[in-house]
Amino acid sequence: MSERILADLNEPQREAVTHVDGPLLVLAGPGSGKTRVITRRCAYLVQSGIRADNILAITFTNKAAGEMRRRIEELGVGRNMWIYTFHALGARLLREFGPLAKVAPGFTIFDDSDQKRVIKDAMLLCDVDPNTIKPEQVAGKISKAKDQLLTPEEYEATVDFADDQLVARLYLVYQRLLEQQNAVDFDDLLMRVAIVLRDHPAYTARLNERFRYVLIDEYQDTNHAQYLIARCLSQHHRNVCATGDPDQSIYGWRGANISNILDFEQDYPNARVVRLEQNYRSTGNVLKVASALIRHNQNRKHKDLWTENDDGGPVDVWKFAEGRDEAERIATRIAQLHREGLEYAQIAICYRVNAISRGLEEALRMRGIPYRIARGLEFYNRKEIKDTLAYLHVLANPADSVALRRIINTPGRGIGKTTIDRVMATAEQEGMAAMDVVRQAARFPVLRRAAGKLAAFVDLIDRMQPAVDGPLSELVETVLERSGLEAMYKEEDFDGEEDRLANLAELVSAAARYEDEEPDPSLPDFLQRISLTSDQDAIDETAGAVLLMTLHAAKGLEFNTVFIAGVEQGLLPHERSLRLATGGEVEEERRLFFVGITRAMQRLTISHCDERFLRGVMTARIPSEFLRELPTEVLNTEVFGHAISRGGLRPRGGDFDFGDDDFDQRPPRRVGRERSSWQRYEEPTFSPDDPAGQSDEPVAPPPQEYADWRPGTIVQHEAFGVGRILWVRGSAGNTRASIRFAGVGEKTFILDMAPITRIG
DNA sequence: AGAACCTGACTTTTT
DNA sequence: GTCAGGTTCT
């Protein structure tokens, strides 16, 4: 077994894996086999006689935790290892020592939108005009305070600006509102645990006994509270292993403190430091570009990244006249690579801001290239899911009035804003839970008129309550039926384009799956777990589609071919990071670029434009200052003119620098290859009765995916039966077809949405 | 109570 | 240009 654990490790990797006692810092460059080191080390510890349940590994995402568990179990050890995200560990410990931290079991975890709701409530209660300060700002300051473990009282003592005194008041009320609802926010999960660990040495000692080896992954992203938790958990034995890469610290704006990793050696004297510098992922040229870029940062630990891989082709730097050209060219290039045998799933397009994705999507759709967007906030943020979960939350925790407000009139049952406001005001006055006010509505004169409707709602909830003790999936079904949500969404689905019922069915099966896998399932645990599930966890790199994502979302992934679009000043680095020009923020932007570059295994293309549509207006752009920092000798720079309105995509010759006179005038170099892809650009096919290309505003051709939906084609519609296509037109994603049905007449549909199939 | 209308914001968002 | 959230109108 030892053989297997140490097999194919390089020297530093082996050193890290076989380090057992005492603090260890693993500085792991991108693609240096960090996960391998972590999992092998866990196996090594177990093999040296340490019990798996004495080992605690902490990650940032559920996905990372799951991946780690999978790979450790593959090595045949560690079935009982503690593998958690920081927040899940927090939730777990809070449940354990709840009384010490003033939370009752079954507490609700509020997400950002719940939190915002409560802050608004606090502002209302404190008579704070939202024009003075925005709820988001308040949230930000409270979050910072919690990161520093400051209770409202302690925070108040530290502030001297009037603004912050206001925040202190709001923080106090906010916290009170949370407590009344037996709810915590994400920051509480860390702060409360850290405070208990700080103030209850006996408890901390016990946990040190339990977790004799502590491992923290992505240490560069820890904030202060997380740092303290890690520190306390390893206070007695000092068997702490931190892994990470300061050059990939990209969450400073969320409170991550890069100094935690930079100062590890001061924090833990005698720490062993291992540098993983050999890269197994990228070509030599990609790595050269990455290294040259990141060298421009001051605040870092130097690493010499190297690889035994081939140099590979040059790194492409493409310059376009306009955003649309960029999107077109990337899409055609992807089509070409696919024809040459590259899987779509091996390709990613990254950008700094989500706003860039739209144009790319359109271009991909136009060519029928399958793609997926790894955008934040998908499944659990859908309205129908949030509604259903809100019922479950009320059942699990009747004090949860954020959830109560969400469902009390959803579906509509004639309980309006006035009534809801009165319920909330009464609850505040009487110091009661909102649900209890609703229960006793008849007692309160202001609620007299609504009392009947409120009683009906109470009755509804009470009739659901018994199902809480039954199987979870059945509970969800009961809620869907009795609440009327199912009926409501059935109707909406019928005349809308959404498929909300399908999502709800997915929720039911998620509940069933949870119940299946969990030894000790419970409704509160299910809900907590959902609250701690992010969309990052849902990114599936193997879905057979090109992945579009922000540079942030790309961290930790790798692809054969990577495009980084919109590498322009103001976008990357983003203008908001330039404003206060605090150097540090520009360095974080540079790290973001570094993260993007190092996702690429074989091919990397960086692109930028002279103009692009931003916020509805065409905006002049200049290339990113970072482009000057790249080594020209491994770049292949190309300049392209307009793809569409100037009659076809063609490369334009001529001089090319990065467009800014301040740049040093290194001669532009061209490396390698003919640009054969241009010649192969395919003129889109236009539908016959829709002669396009005459106006400046061409009518978009039907996307490739509908290429053979020609007039005359016979199709079947779920409701209208068999019909004949009259015409197809429209832009990608909005392709419309007019179809004549016997006895029904002509109807126009959006093809992506309508339940239509081709027949014959 | 619900629809229509208006306004402002618009980086990133591991939990 | 687009979306969400809030406000005003009916």
Side-chain angles (χ1 to χ4, degrees):
Chain A
M1 152 114 87
S2 175
E3 284 305 297
R4 219 177 128 205
I5 290 174
L6 297 179
D8 40 77
L9 293 177
N10 64 33
E11 200 34 50
Q13 287 177 335
R14 185 178 296 243
E15 189 185 340
V17 166
T18 55
H19 173 98
V20 176
D21 288 305
L24 169 69
L25 173 64
V26 180
L27 292 169
S32 61
K34 181 187 66 168
T35 310
R36 169 183 287 198
V37 166
I38 291 171
T39 52
R40 298 285 184 95
R41 179 161 179 273
C42 289
Y44 185 85
L45 291 178
V46 172
Q47 206 219 2
S48 338
I50 292 153
R51 286 170 42 162
D53 62 355
N54 281 152
I55 303 173
L56 168 69
I58 306 176
T59 62
F60 272 84
T61 65
N62 298 297
K63 193 181 177 204
E67 175 75 0
M68 198 184 291
R69 160 148 288 133
R70 192 180 64 75
R71 289 185 52 173
I72 287 174
E73 287 183 1
E74 247 172 41
L75 292 168
V77 294
R79 214 152 309 259
N80 303 316
M81 257 184 67
W82 304 83
I83 305 177
Y84 282 108
T85 66
F86 266 108
H87 293 268
L89 177 69
R92 154 110 210 197
L93 293 179
L94 277 190
R95 249 179 294 172
E96 224 175 277
F97 54 58
L100 290 181
K102 289 191 292 187
V103 282
F107 59 85
T108 298
I109 299 168
F110 276 175
D111 67 17
D112 292 344
S113 65
D114 304 328
Q115 182 193 36
K116 209 170 128 196
R117 182 69 258 158
V118 179
I119 287 176
K120 282 183 183 170
D121 290 345
M123 291 176 71
L124 236 49
L125 285 171
C126 295
D127 239 342
V128 176
D129 178 0
N131 293 321
T132 355
I133 186 163
K134 278 177 289 177
E136 290 79 9
Q137 286 176 286
V138 179
K141 295 206 169 188
I142 291 177
S143 180
K144 272 213 177 74
K146 288 188 172 180
D147 182 20
Q148 297 301 315
L149 312 194
L150 296 172
T151 62
E153 295 78 11
E154 290 164 343
Y155 176 69
E156 193 173 19
T158 68
V159 301
D160 27 61
F161 296 113
D163 267 14
D164 290 347
Q165 276 157 14
L166 184 65
V167 173
R169 240 171 69 224
L170 291 170
Y171 180 17
L172 188 78
V173 174
Y174 168 74
Q175 208 59 20
R176 199 191 75 218
L177 290 174
L178 285 186
E179 272 160 35
Q180 282 172 359
Q181 302 185 60
N182 192 25
V184 298
D185 61 22
F186 288 136
D187 297 313
D188 279 328
L189 291 173
L190 306 176
M191 173 175 84
R192 296 195 191 202
V193 167
I195 287 178
V196 170
L197 292 176
R198 183 190 66 192
D199 297 345
H200 297 270
Y203 193 83
T204 305
R206 249 172 52 214
L207 283 182
N208 269 256
E209 253 338 279
R210 194 198 294 176
F211 305 131
R212 290 182 46 219
Y213 291 83
V214 176
L215 184 147
I216 302 111
D217 192 23
E218 306 283 15
Y219 195 72
Q220 77 281 357
D221 289 332
T222 49
N223 65 20
H224 184 65
Q226 289 161 333
Y227 160 83
L228 286 178
I229 290 172
R231 207 181 158 77
C232 290
L233 286 176
S234 54
Q235 187 179 326
H236 296 297
H237 46 65
R238 292 177 28 94
N239 295 325
V240 60
C241 167
T243 66
D245 180 2
D247 291 337
Q248 295 181 64
S249 164
I250 55 174
Y251 285 102
W253 53 277
R254 275 184 114 237
N257 184 358
I258 191 173
S259 314
N260 290 157
I261 194 165
L262 293 177
D263 299 342
F264 186 88
E265 294 155 84
Q266 281 92 289
D267 261 353
Y268 295 92
N270 309 322
R272 175 96 68 102
V273 180
V274 176
R275 287 179 150 73
L276 304 181
E277 296 173 312
Q278 181 177 0
N279 176 295
Y280 295 93
R281 176 186 296 154
S282 307
T283 63
N285 283 343
V286 167
L287 209 58
K288 266 176 224 151
V289 168
S291 300
L293 174 78
I294 204 65
R295 245 202 323 272
H296 289 79
N297 272 5
Q298 302 301 311
N299 202 217
R300 66 185 293 256
K301 278 184 186 292
H302 181 79
K303 287 195 294 308
D304 281 314
L305 301 179
W306 61 280
T307 183
E308 286 175 354
N309 296 341
D310 293 341
D311 279 351
V315 168
D316 288 315
V317 177
W318 290 349
K319 177 193 172 86
F320 297 94
E322 199 216 298
R324 224 166 6 145
D325 306 318
E326 179 186 48
E328 289 293 321
R329 176 69 182 112
I330 289 175
T332 43
R333 175 74 175 137
I334 288 174
Q336 181 201 13
L337 289 168
H338 182 69
R339 279 195 304 272
E340 290 168 4
L342 186 63
E343 306 249 359
Y344 287 128
Q346 282 298 311
I347 304 171
I349 313 176
C350 304
Y351 35 77
R352 177 66 235 263
V353 296
N354 287 120
I356 302 294
S357 76
R358 178 163 277 130
L360 294 162
E361 284 178 67
E362 237 165 67
L364 293 171
R365 209 155 23 192
M366 198 80 116
R367 285 172 183 71
I369 297 170
Y371 67 89
R372 298 179 46 151
I373 304 184
R375 202 201 316 268
L377 318 170
E378 285 287 272
F379 188 69
Y380 288 112
N381 252 356
R382 287 162 198 253
K383 183 180 177 307
E384 64 275 21
I385 300 297
K386 291 213 89 169
D387 287 347
T388 311
L389 290 175
Y391 276 90
L392 297 173
H393 273 118
V394 168
L395 290 168
N397 174 15
D400 183 342
S401 51
V402 170
L404 174 66
R405 242 179 302 181
R406 188 171 184 103
I407 59 170
I408 196 166
N409 196 39
T410 309
R413 40 180 81 92
I415 300 173
K417 190 177 178 314
T418 325
T419 305
I420 296 171
D421 285 349
R422 283 177 183 167
V423 168
M424 299 318 292
T426 309
E428 176 64 21
Q429 274 163 31
E430 307 285 322
M432 295 167 65
M435 188 63 193
D436 290 330
V437 172
V438 174
R439 279 186 185 283
Q440 301 168 28
R443 263 182 59 198
F444 303 102
V446 284
L447 294 172
R448 177 91 15 105
R449 240 161 34 115
K453 287 168 176 166
L454 291 176
F457 175 73
V458 169
D459 188 52
L460 172 70
I461 297 296
D462 285 347
R463 277 186 292 122
M464 290 175 177
Q465 199 74 50
V468 168
D469 301 318
L472 208 52
S473 52
E474 284 176 29
L475 170 64
V476 179
E477 280 170 340
T478 305
V479 165
L480 286 173
E481 271 167 42
R482 301 241 177 107
S483 66
L485 284 178
E486 199 167 40
M488 177 175 108
Y489 286 124
K490 193 172 274 178
E491 196 139 312
E492 277 188 29
D493 280 358
F494 185 74
D495 41 34
E497 62 274 18
E498 307 269 356
D499 198 0
R500 297 186 186 275
L501 282 186
N503 292 329
L504 292 172
E506 178 54 36
L507 182 63
V508 173
S509 57
R513 229 177 304 131
Y514 162 80
E515 208 152 31
D516 246 25
E517 289 164 6
E518 206 45 38
D520 191 17
S522 76
L523 177 59
D525 182 62
F526 177 62
L527 292 174
Q528 288 185 2
R529 189 167 309 195
I530 286 177
S531 307
L532 296 178
T533 301
S534 77
D535 305 291
Q536 189 74 15
D537 302 327
I539 296 180
D540 181 0
E541 310 95 288
T542 58
V546 175
L547 255 184
L548 274 63
M549 70 200 119
T550 63
L551 289 164
H552 283 91
K555 199 179 82 168
L557 306 176
E558 62 177 19
F559 301 89
N560 174 288
T561 296
V562 171
F563 295 87
I564 304 178
V567 184
E568 292 147 26
Q569 200 64 9
L571 230 37
L572 182 67
H574 195 275
E575 56 186 342
R576 295 279 275 250
S577 70
L578 294 168
R579 261 195 214 151
L580 291 167
T582 46
E585 296 196 29
V586 174
E587 294 209 342
E588 182 153 312
E589 297 287 308
R590 193 178 278 111
R591 291 193 291 267
L592 203 45
F593 194 17
F594 176 77
V595 165
I597 290 168
T598 53
R599 299 310 94 197
M601 297 160 79
Q602 293 292 321
R603 260 182 295 259
L604 172 65
T605 300
I606 294 161
S607 60
H608 61 100
C609 310
D610 284 336
E611 290 181 307
R612 77 167 66 239
F613 258 110
L614 285 175
R615 294 185 203 151
V617 273
M618 190 57 89
T619 327
R621 317 289 316 159
I622 61 168
S624 166
E625 61 180 272
F626 297 151
L627 292 179
R628 279 179 290 172
E629 301 170 359
L630 308 184
T632 43
E633 64 276 13
V634 299
L635 303 182
N636 173 38
T637 56
E638 291 177 67
V639 187
F640 301 107
H642 274 292
I644 296 167
S645 45
R646 317 239 167 108
L649 225 32
R650 214 171 299 117
R652 207 163 54 186
D655 282 348
F656 169 53
D657 62 12
F658 292 125
D660 189 334
D661 290 338
D662 291 334
F663 289 171
D664 60 2
Q665 299 293 315
R666 285 175 291 203
R669 291 264 300 271
R670 284 188 197 277
V671 182
R673 309 173 301 134
E674 281 300 305
R675 298 171 230 100
S676 55
S677 54
W678 280 141
Q679 273 69 38
R680 281 204 234 148
Y681 173 74
E682 287 161 330
E683 227 24 67
T685 41
F686 292 85
S687 106
D689 61 344
D690 196 346
Q694 293 176 347
S695 66
D696 236 297
E697 176 94 13
V699 176
Q704 204 106 70
E705 48 189 313
Y706 296 117
D708 26 309
W709 293 56
R710 276 179 269 277
T713 308
I714 306 297
V715 296
Q716 166 101 37
H717 185 281
E718 261 179 30
F720 302 117
V722 177
R724 198 158 174 270
I725 294 184
L726 298 173
W727 51 258
V728 182
R729 69 168 73 115
S731 57
N734 188 26
T735 316
R736 288 157 198 278
S738 185
I739 300 169
R740 190 198 304 280
F741 297 97
V744 182
E746 284 178 33
K747 295 256 170 208
T748 306
F749 303 92
I750 296 178
L751 286 179
D752 281 353
M753 309 299 179
I756 299 176
T757 39
R758 283 188 72 205
I759 48 180

